Amino acid sequence: MNILVCISHVPDTTTKIKFTDNNTRLDVSGIQWVINPWDELSLTRALELKDDASCGINTVSVAHVGPVSAEPTIRKALAIGADNAYRVDTEPLDAYQVAAQLAQIVKAGAFDIILCGIESSDYNGSNVGGMLAEFLDLPSVSGISKLEIKEGKVHITREIDGGKEMLISPTPFVGIVQKGIAKEPRIAAMRGIMMARKKPIQLVDAVQTEPLSETLEFEPPKPRPACKFVDPDQPGKLIELLQNEAKVI
Amino acid sequence: MSVLVYTENWNGKFKKLSFELASYASELAEMAGIEPVAVSIGKVEQDELMKLAGYGIKKIISVEGENLDKFDTRTYSRLISDQAKNESATIIVLADNNRGKALAPRISVRLQAAVASGVTGLPEQTEPFRIKKRAFSGNAFATLELKTVVKILTLTQNSFDLREKSVEASIEKQTAENYDTGPGPEIQDVQIQTGKLLLADAEIVVSGGRGMKSADNWGPILELAQLLNGATACSRPVSDEGWRPHEEHTGQTGKVIAPNLYIAIGISGATQHLAGISGSKYIVAINNDKDAPIFDAAQYGIVGDAAKVLPKLVEALKVAGNS
Ligand SMILES: Cc1cc2nc3c(=O)[nH]c(=O)nc-3n(C[C@H](O)[C@H](O)[C@H](O)COP(=O)(O)OP(=O)(O)OC[C@H]3O[C@@H](n4cnc5c(N)ncnc54)[C@H](O)[C@@H]3O)c2cc1C
Ligand SMILES: Nc1ncnc2c1ncn2[C@@H]1O[C@H](COP(=O)(O)O)[C@@H](O)[C@H]1O
């Protein structure tokens, strides 16, 4: 079996988010880019499965849609252990364009498990995985918190309201991954970093697509009013405020 | 033309979220000058369906069918897309929950319809269609323009007030046929905890962080949550340590919730934690460090040792509850 992990890169969560050009664009100066946390976990899980010979995973590939500036992120995925990488050379404007590009990589390859994260932590779209599945007319499973391969079958646990569901999915399928899929992201070792330099990043020409939406502008969240402090010896005051001022209890 | 809203049911019953969706769809329809239509999938009794009319829905389509008991993303997205076509929907509304998140992108590709996910209010304008959504994990809002004829919105739970508005409604019963989409994922087993208030449904959430020191100290948090009729949550290190179950972890990599009241106890307020809770209407912080960043996000705060403050708070709440 072959696994494809779709990776997006996002500003490190500790980066202060700022905008430029009248708040129409993200100010990228000083941003530290990282692999989207869920994609890092998906990749980790894919590699764990490959390490276990009984799972029969041949290759783990990663794919990214974006300009050359994303190559350090792709190299990082290779250093962590991906066997090869694809990059579609285009600057996508929305999730639809990303998914349309990823679809051609999947069609050209022979992937059994295609993994996407539940959302990118920048635009919080939650869209690429489902769109990709629909472009390919493949089954998709969302909210995956566990992925195992036993006797050639793909066992999945997905989170549902108030519990979980255990499934067996036919392949190929698109898995949309959330928390739990792997414990800690795998870190690149020195050897991996050396080897990653030699691994190829396959450039894929973009297909023509039109975006369906456009981000016009950004604004910071409204500042909350200053905190009102209550004497720790009189917590009853807090209850009063919540009852009479905020009216939430 | 219409606004089509998918109102999910839980064992044949709607919940507050369904009525939030209905309220949102009917208000949106009014704004755009078109009709609100609800689609329900799976068996739901007549009087339950009729409840949607209490929130402005004039037409309710109830689709039943053999293979609709299990949730298959392909089947459901086809069905909703077809309904949208039949009803000439220009806007499709889903919940920003597990199901809605799974369906919206599939419907988007089927209908060439742009999506704005995780919206918290009505669009600023409908021609052209502009709407705000959460971005950068709560650190910003983005204004999106949806450029297609059909638009899809997923609504954040607990972000839109119920709007009671009774209207005359018609119910149309349909049987789904030809929705066998071939082999899909097969359910082997389901584990569901019934009777427990879901974190996403809770209007009040009491949450503990590493400042609680150990799993043994959770008693007062559980008691507070119970007294307030709320749910419990925690920060990531707490679930990583196994002090609390993983479903309770809120934040960027956990659940994103928007309750009316979030009480953060012994939580420092890291950006990744705030990412999951910044949509809360009110945040209360209890922390022994007056400089903890959580106080910048909170409207009410107590600087003090949780071990001492919590028992007093529980007592005060009992007194207030009895008076
Ligand atoms: C990629 C990434 C994703 C992440 N995602 C998440 C996420 O989704 N959710 C999340 O929560 N975190 C997440 N984190 C971790 C996050 O950065 C913080 O480390 C975490 O939120 C801290 O948890 P905490 O506030 O419980 O603990 P701490 O930061 O250790 O804070 C404990 C607080 O308790 C206070 N305290 C101590 N003793 C007492 C006492 N006796 N009484 C009262 N107060 C006391 C302290 O003053 C302190 O403010 C993520 C991190 C990364 C890198
Ligand atoms: N530019 C991209 N290239 C490759 N994969 C992506 C890209 N953007 C998003 N994805 C994938 O889609 C998931 C969800 O992203 P989104 O729909 O943008 O929230 C991510 O976790 C990735 O797996």
Side-chain angles (χ1 to χ4, degrees):
Chain A
M1 279 203 254
N2 299 310
I3 304 181
L4 179 70
V5 181
C6 303
I7 55 170
S8 65
H9 75 164
V10 294
D12 177 25
T13 48
T14 53
T15 316
K16 178 107 187 82
I17 297 298
K18 287 177 298 185
F19 303 102
T20 66
D21 293 353
N22 279 328
N23 285 337
T24 55
R25 278 193 315 119
L26 176 68
D27 180 355
V28 293
S29 62
I31 285 186
Q32 177 80 27
W33 296 91
V34 297
I35 304 178
N36 189 38
W38 288 276
D39 306 345
E40 206 179 13
L41 292 173
S42 301
L43 176 59
T44 300
R45 185 60 192 151
L47 294 170
E48 286 169 2
L49 292 173
K50 191 183 165 214
D51 288 347
D52 179 348
S54 75
C55 296
I57 304 293
N58 299 321
T59 63
V60 174
S61 310
V62 294
H64 177 78
V65 181
V68 67
S69 54
E71 292 221 343
T73 306
I74 302 173
R75 286 269 170 236
K76 192 177 163 205
L78 290 170
I80 293 172
D83 298 300
N84 47 55
Y86 302 86
R87 180 172 69 83
V88 185
D89 194 22
T90 180
E91 198 139 3
L93 296 174
D94 72 351
Y96 186 83
Q97 284 190 312
V98 174
Q101 304 297 345
L102 290 172
Q104 46 149 351
I105 294 180
V106 179
K107 276 183 198 148
F111 302 104
D112 305 279
I113 301 177
I114 299 121
L115 298 178
C116 283
I118 179 83
E119 67 168 26
S120 308
S121 60
D122 47 5
Y123 295 94
N124 303 117
S126 295
N127 280 320
V128 170
M131 287 180 174
L132 176 60
E134 190 63 37
F135 270 118
L136 300 165
D137 195 20
L138 288 180
S140 57
V141 181
S142 297
I144 299 184
S145 59
K146 209 166 169 188
L147 178 66
E148 291 173 303
I149 297 172
K150 288 182 220 153
E151 288 155 11
K153 286 212 163 85
V154 181
H155 291 252
I156 296 170
T157 301
R158 83 166 156 206
E159 301 297 307
I160 54 172
D161 287 346
K164 46 192 160 194
E165 224 166 51
M166 275 55 81
L167 313 142
I168 291 182
S169 180
T171 53
F173 81 102
V174 177
I176 298 154
V177 162
Q178 63 146 27
K179 182 189 159 136
I181 185 80
K183 265 206 145 85
E184 288 287 324
R186 194 174 277 200
I187 299 167
M190 202 53 204
R191 202 176 105 83
I193 297 170
M194 301 298 287
M195 278 169 58
R197 294 204 187 124
K198 293 197 211 94
K199 289 180 188 166
I201 297 180
Q202 245 171 282
L203 263 194
V204 180
D205 288 332
V207 287
Q208 180 68 32
T209 58
E210 290 296 322
L212 306 183
S213 62
E214 185 187 339
T215 303
L216 300 180
E217 60 172 354
F218 296 98
E219 66 187 81
K222 286 192 202 78
R224 287 175 184 268
C227 186
K228 274 193 192 172
F229 286 96
V230 171
D231 181 348
D233 293 321
Q234 298 191 318
K237 284 264 181 322
L238 175 64
I239 312 274
E240 257 174 59
L241 287 167
L242 293 175
Q243 277 175 334
N244 304 326
E245 193 176 84
K247 300 189 169 48
V248 283
I249 64 172
Chain B
M1 288 196 291
S2 68
V3 175
L4 187 99
V5 57
Y6 167 52
T7 45
E8 183 178 347
N9 68 80
W10 289 262
N11 295 320
K13 295 281 180 246
F14 293 131
K15 63 182 180 186
K16 183 166 169 260
L17 172 61
S18 324
F19 305 128
E20 286 168 20
L21 287 163
S23 302
Y24 184 82
S26 63
E27 205 150 321
L28 184 54
E30 207 172 283
M31 183 177 173
I34 53 185
E35 291 299 304
V37 178
V39 173
S40 163
I41 304 176
K43 192 163 174 51
V44 180
E45 300 294 344
Q46 189 95 1
D47 50 347
E48 189 70 15
L49 288 169
M50 240 15 222
K51 287 183 185 166
L52 297 172
Y55 300 90
I57 301 291
K58 297 193 176 134
K59 180 171 180 183
I60 301 156
I61 301 170
S62 169
V63 189
E64 291 183 20
E66 235 179 280
N67 50 15
L68 298 180
D69 297 339
K70 69 166 204 216
F71 174 64
D72 178 81
T73 53
R74 257 199 299 190
T75 312
Y76 271 59
S77 55
R78 276 187 202 187
L79 205 158
I80 295 171
S81 301
D82 288 354
Q83 293 292 345
K85 280 190 220 154
N86 289 344
E87 297 300 319
S88 316
T90 50
I91 306 172
I92 303 171
V93 178
L94 303 140
D96 193 53
N97 63 357
N98 290 336
R99 256 189 203 194
K101 277 199 175 101
L103 295 172
R106 297 204 75 131
I107 299 170
S108 163
V109 171
R110 287 198 84 77
L111 300 179
Q112 291 280 302
V115 189
S117 51
V119 301
T120 53
L122 292 167
E124 281 161 17
Q125 52 177 76
T126 53
E127 295 288 340
F129 197 94
R130 292 190 181 150
I131 193 159
K132 272 194 200 145
K133 74 175 291 284
R134 198 175 77 91
F136 295 97
S137 303
N139 285 312
F141 283 96
T143 303
L144 291 194
E145 182 167 317
L146 306 187
K147 295 168 169 264
T148 48
V149 178
V150 182
K151 290 105 186 158
I152 303 173
L153 309 176
T154 69
L155 179 69
T156 304
Q157 186 163 359
N158 207 29
S159 66
F160 197 76
D161 289 337
L162 293 182
R163 190 180 72 146
E164 286 179 35
K165 185 184 176 225
S166 285
V167 293
E168 292 265 322
S170 64
I171 295 182
E172 192 179 306
K173 296 246 181 201
Q174 295 185 13
T175 313
E177 278 157 36
N178 308 322
Y179 281 103
D180 187 1
T181 46
E186 288 293 335
I187 299 172
Q188 309 295 306
D189 195 11
V190 187
Q191 288 173 3
I192 286 212
Q193 236 189 330
T194 46
K196 193 180 162 211
L197 177 62
L198 295 179
L199 188 48
D201 290 337
E203 292 180 7
I204 296 179
V205 173
V206 188
S207 184
R210 200 145 51 184
M212 292 301 295
K213 304 285 191 315
S214 111
D216 303 334
N217 299 334
W218 241 260
I221 290 194
L222 302 179
E223 199 174 355
L224 262 185
Q226 201 198 357
L227 287 168
L228 291 168
N229 208 356
T232 49
C234 67
S235 67
R236 186 166 94 171
V238 166
S239 65
D240 284 351
E241 291 286 341
W243 297 354
R244 297 297 302 165
H246 279 286
E247 316 82 83
E248 288 195 1
H249 151 200
T250 51
Q252 195 202 340
T253 45
K255 290 216 162 64
V256 177
I257 53 171
N260 294 342
L261 175 61
Y262 185 82
I263 306 181
I265 306 161
I267 293 178
S268 60
T271 52
Q272 297 95 346
H273 186 79
L274 296 179
I277 59 146
S278 58
S280 309
K281 293 194 185 72
Y282 285 89
I283 296 175
V284 169
I286 301 175
N287 196 304
N288 63 1
D289 172 9
K290 68 172 182 17
D291 296 322
I294 188 75
F295 287 122
D296 298 334
Q299 284 94 329
Y300 301 110
I302 296 183
V303 180
D305 179 357
K308 299 207 179 86
V309 174
L310 284 185
K312 287 187 200 156
L313 190 61
V314 168
E315 274 319 302
L317 195 58
K318 282 185 183 158
V319 171
N322 290 335
S323 63

